[in-house]
């Protein structure tokens, strides 16, 4: 059998299974979530190991951002699912009385989840939790660039779930393209903006709704009214976590001229505190995913390198790097950096900064460090981004109570917790009417009835 036939078989078998209604049962969904939780816990060490193999991901980072985030998301779904699935009563307009109305969430059917390589476990599993909780079947296609994690996900899923319910299809872009030829009921994609456009075009052919969790350049504005040491520590942490390969990492810093020198010193101190004199020896510092990314990133290290700038292609190592005096025209400002390089642009007038941000694609995240409430309000009002975190970074995605997603070029739709349930559900409006009181005013012939109707409707 060719791989083409095999791939098209997967969603069609899932569709048949979905039609049996098995996945709609609430107890079934709960049992599946419990099974997933159990096997993730059983595989904790294996998960940590594959993330080490793919990204040299430090134990602490692997545990918090990949293992624990999945468990917490399952726990949250288990705690809330019985509420989420309830039909909600809806008010009805007077002119259709007597009647009752409700909004019922129903699963969409068969979902396709396509994941990236930077958080290769959690970014496949967290959407899957949403798909399960809302009663769907799912096909998961992890990234080929994190092959150890992809293999482990495939193993965990195939051992514990029947393929007609949840299936992992491993492979590269060609496999992804073959999957996209099939009809799905939701495509949940996490990856680059460029690929997002390809996904959406493919989905359009089947009129399949998409959730696109994309990337982009997330600005970090640093005003003078701050606790400088804390601000520097939080920014350095967010930038160099997972060696900068985080979609919501602060991509670049826009800093008020007066405090730039002091800020740079504070950042340098943080890097030393975090990773020691030589980060290459630190067990807490990740590596670049592959040679292709390494070459791309290494080329961006140019100009006024204030901190770091060391690279080692054999080890896929790029030291925590800070580049000063960057201009908006520099190469590093033309693409998402997705690496441990922090460009610094100084500013005098916040209005210029806002203008520059607004001229660019809407970012996934926007960060502002300032205690000034007026400035906080101004930035919130005058810019648009997927999310905002004030006086910290990345925290806007921590936890299942906070919906996460982009806007414009940084994405379509959102997920986490209830937002995931909504993403994989259709909210069906149901109106139920009794047979009595069948007003003839609504039916033809209409002559003479319009005035009466106008009076009724007010
Ligand atoms: P990518 O777009 O290259 O690949 C993502 C997935 O799409 C992979 O599984 C890949 O096999 C598949 N793919 C790639 N090209 C394809 C094509 N032409 N047709 C069909 N499928 C294709 O992204 P990446 O390099 O894995 O991830 C990095 C990007 O993802 C960054 O831009 C980052 O900001 C973004 N990202 C966003 C989020 C978020 O939650 N918004 C999270 C992580 C990463």
């Amino acid at each position: 059998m060719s791989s083409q036939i095999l791939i098209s078989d997967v969603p069609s078998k899932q569709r048949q299974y979905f039609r049996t209604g098995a996945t709609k049962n609430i107890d079934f969904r709960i049992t599946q979530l419990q099974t997933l939780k159990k096997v993730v816990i059983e595989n904790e060490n294996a998960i940590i190991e594959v993330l080490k193999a793919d990204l040299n991901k430090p134990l602490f980072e692997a545990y918090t951002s990949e293992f624990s985030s999945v468990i917490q998301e399952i726990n949250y779904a288990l705690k809330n699912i019985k509420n989420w699935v309830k039909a909600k009563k809806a008010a009805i307009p007077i002119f259709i009385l007597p009647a009752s109305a409700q909004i019922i969430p129903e699963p969409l059917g068969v979902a396709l989840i396509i994941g990236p390589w930077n958080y290769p476990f959690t970014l496949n599993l967290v959407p899957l939790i949403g798909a399960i909780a809302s009663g769907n079947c799912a096909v998961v296609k992890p990234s080929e660039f994190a092959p150890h994690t992809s293999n482990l996900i495939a193993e965990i899923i195939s051992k514990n779930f029947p393929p007609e319910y949840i299936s992992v299809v491993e492979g590269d872009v060609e496999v992804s393209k073959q999957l996209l030829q099939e009809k799905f009921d939701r495509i949940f994609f996490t990856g680059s903006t460029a690929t997002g456009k390809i996904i959406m075009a493919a989905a359009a052919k089947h009129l399949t709704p998409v959730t696109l969790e994309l990337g982009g350049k997330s600005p970090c504005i640093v005003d003078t009214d701050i606790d400088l040491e804390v601000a520097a520590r939080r920014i350095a942490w967010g930038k160099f976590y997972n060696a900068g390969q985080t979609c919501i990492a602060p991509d670049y810093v826009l800093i008020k001229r007066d405090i730039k020198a002091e800020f740079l010193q504070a950042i340098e101190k943080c890097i030393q505190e975090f990773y020691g004199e030589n980060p290459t020896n630190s067990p807490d510092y990740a590596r670049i995913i592959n040679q292709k990314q390494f070459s791309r990133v290494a080329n961006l290290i140019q100009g006024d390198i204030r901190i770091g700038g060391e690279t080692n292609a054999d080890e896929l190592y790029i030291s925590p790097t800070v580049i000063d005096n960057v201009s908006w025209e520099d190469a590093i400002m033309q693409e998402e950096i997705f690496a441990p390089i922090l460009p610094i642009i100084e500013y005098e007038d916040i209005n210029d900064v806002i203008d520059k941000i607004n001229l660019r694609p809407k970012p996934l995240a926007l960060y502002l460090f300032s205690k000034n409430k007026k400035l906080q309000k101004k930035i919130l009002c005058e810019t648009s981004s997927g999310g905002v975190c004030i006086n910290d970074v990345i925290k806007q995605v921590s936890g299942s109570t906070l919906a996460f997603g982009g806007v414009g070029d940084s994405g379509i739709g959102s997920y986490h917790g209830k937002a995931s349930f909504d993403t994989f559900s259709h909210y069906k409006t149901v109106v139920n009417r009794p047979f009595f009181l069948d007003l003839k005013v609504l039916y033809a012939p209409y002559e003479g009835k319009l005035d009466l109707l106008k009076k009724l409707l007010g």
Side-chain angles (χ1 to χ4, degrees):
M1 208 188 305
S2 80
S3 66
Q4 176 76 47
I5 296 165
L6 204 66
I7 282 178
S8 63
D9 260 10
V10 179
S12 69
K13 290 217 166 108
Q14 290 202 350
R15 200 165 294 288
Q16 274 173 28
Y17 184 63
F18 180 74
R19 281 199 204 107
T20 68
T23 66
K24 293 186 181 175
N25 181 287
I26 310 308
D27 290 333
F28 173 89
R29 303 185 204 181
I30 291 173
T31 307
Q32 304 308 315
L33 288 170
Q34 285 165 338
T35 303
L36 188 63
K37 179 176 169 181
K38 184 170 156 280
V39 296
V40 169
I41 290 172
E42 281 167 5
N43 281 279
E44 178 181 333
N45 290 337
I47 294 162
I48 306 284
E49 271 168 35
V50 291
L51 292 165
K52 178 98 185 145
D54 284 330
L55 285 141
N56 192 40
K57 204 168 270 224
L59 171 63
F60 189 88
E61 293 183 11
Y63 183 87
T64 51
S65 64
E66 305 249 24
F67 172 78
S68 166
S69 58
V70 169
I71 298 299
Q72 293 194 12
E73 185 76 8
I74 298 176
N75 287 342
Y76 191 80
L78 283 170
K79 196 172 156 206
N80 292 288
I81 187 168
K82 288 201 168 150
N83 261 333
W84 294 342
V85 298
K86 276 185 194 153
K88 306 270 183 306
K89 268 198 162 175
I92 30 174
I94 192 159
F95 52 86
I96 63 163
L97 280 171
S100 64
Q102 52 183 336
I103 315 282
I104 305 175
E106 63 176 23
L108 290 171
V110 178
L112 171 62
I113 296 166
I114 302 179
W117 50 259
N118 60 332
Y119 290 87
F121 191 72
T122 195
L123 294 179
N124 285 298
L125 270 280
V126 170
L128 178 62
I129 294 162
I132 295 174
S134 40
N136 296 271
C137 297
V139 178
V140 181
K141 208 298 276 173
S143 171
E144 66 276 29
F145 296 119
H148 298 90
T149 313
S150 172
N151 289 346
L152 182 68
I153 293 173
E155 191 189 311
I156 286 178
I157 296 296
S158 65
K159 277 190 184 158
N160 294 283
F161 301 92
E164 64 272 22
Y165 174 44
I166 306 174
S167 196
V168 176
V169 176
E170 291 189 90
D172 60 9
V173 176
E174 287 316 309
V175 168
S176 198
K177 283 181 179 164
Q178 285 180 40
L179 278 169
L180 288 171
Q181 283 173 23
E182 303 304 318
K183 166 130 180 100
F184 290 91
D185 301 295
R186 158 91 38 200
I187 298 178
F188 188 103
F189 169 78
T190 307
S192 63
T193 300
T195 311
K197 291 177 184 171
I198 296 168
I199 302 290
M200 195 161 171
K205 292 203 175 114
H206 296 289
L207 227 52
T208 299
V210 289
T211 304
L212 302 178
E213 297 284 338
L214 310 178
K217 289 181 86 64
S218 298
C220 178
I221 304 168
V222 183
D223 175 41
T224 45
D225 191 3
I226 53 168
D227 180 331
L228 192 122
E229 215 176 288
V230 175
R233 189 178 313 124
R234 291 177 180 176
I235 293 168
W237 168 79
K239 182 70 192 189
F240 302 119
Y241 194 90
N242 201 30
Q245 299 162 116
T246 303
C247 56
I248 44 164
D251 188 272
Y252 57 98
V253 162
L254 297 155
I255 191 158
K256 197 81 194 277
R257 189 167 296 159
D258 322 0
I259 58 158
K260 189 180 80 172
E262 215 184 322
F263 177 77
L264 285 171
Q265 277 172 10
I267 288 273
E268 187 157 27
K269 195 168 151 230
C270 291
I271 293 172
Q272 276 179 8
E273 273 173 20
F274 292 172
Y275 310 115
E277 279 302 322
N278 191 355
T280 193
N281 298 326
S282 168
D284 298 327
Y285 191 61
R287 293 295 182 268
I288 302 300
I289 186 77
N290 56 30
Q291 285 296 344
K292 189 177 166 214
Q293 286 295 324
F294 178 88
S295 310
R296 178 188 68 81
V297 172
N299 280 332
L300 296 175
I301 306 179
Q302 32 178 296
D304 191 355
I305 300 159
R306 281 299 170 94
I307 303 167
E310 295 91 24
T311 63
N312 181 337
D314 293 340
E315 287 186 23
L316 296 169
Y317 168 77
I318 296 202
S319 68
T321 297
V322 178
I323 306 180
D324 193 9
N325 294 313
V326 170
S327 87
W328 292 93
E329 289 70 40
D330 288 350
I332 200 161
M333 292 304 294
Q334 310 313 316
E335 61 181 274
E336 179 183 4
I337 300 170
F338 220 52
I341 311 173
L342 185 64
I344 310 284
I345 300 179
E346 57 181 41
Y347 74 87
E348 227 1 91
D349 183 351
I350 193 68
N351 292 307
D352 292 343
V353 162
I354 293 171
D355 283 349
K356 284 283 193 317
I357 291 172
N358 288 341
L359 278 171
R360 298 176 154 245
K362 291 182 181 178
L364 186 56
L366 186 143
Y367 301 116
L368 169 67
F369 284 79
S370 178
K371 290 187 225 164
N372 180 337
K373 297 270 180 232
K374 261 192 176 167
L375 180 62
Q376 293 180 0
K377 208 170 161 194
K378 182 178 170 72
I379 295 291
L380 288 181
C381 283
E382 296 182 20
T383 65
S384 175
S385 56
V388 172
C389 186
I390 295 173
N391 295 328
D392 207 339
V393 297
I394 304 189
K395 302 297 187 293
Q396 76 278 18
V397 304
S398 336
S400 308
T401 54
L402 304 172
F404 170 54
V407 58
D409 283 31
S410 59
I412 295 176
S414 62
Y415 77 130
H416 288 183
K418 172 72 162 46
S420 292
F421 181 85
D422 293 346
T423 291
F424 290 101
S425 297
H426 164 63
Y427 280 88
K428 184 161 70 178
T429 297
V430 179
V431 171
N432 195 330
R433 301 197 71 215
F435 283 101
F436 69 89
L437 209 70
D438 195 36
L439 293 179
K440 294 219 168 141
V441 68
L442 291 172
Y443 303 115
Y446 300 126
E447 200 186 337
K449 291 181 177 172
L450 195 57
D451 286 345
L452 178 62
L453 194 72
K454 279 181 181 170
K455 272 187 201 141
L456 267 177
L457 294 178

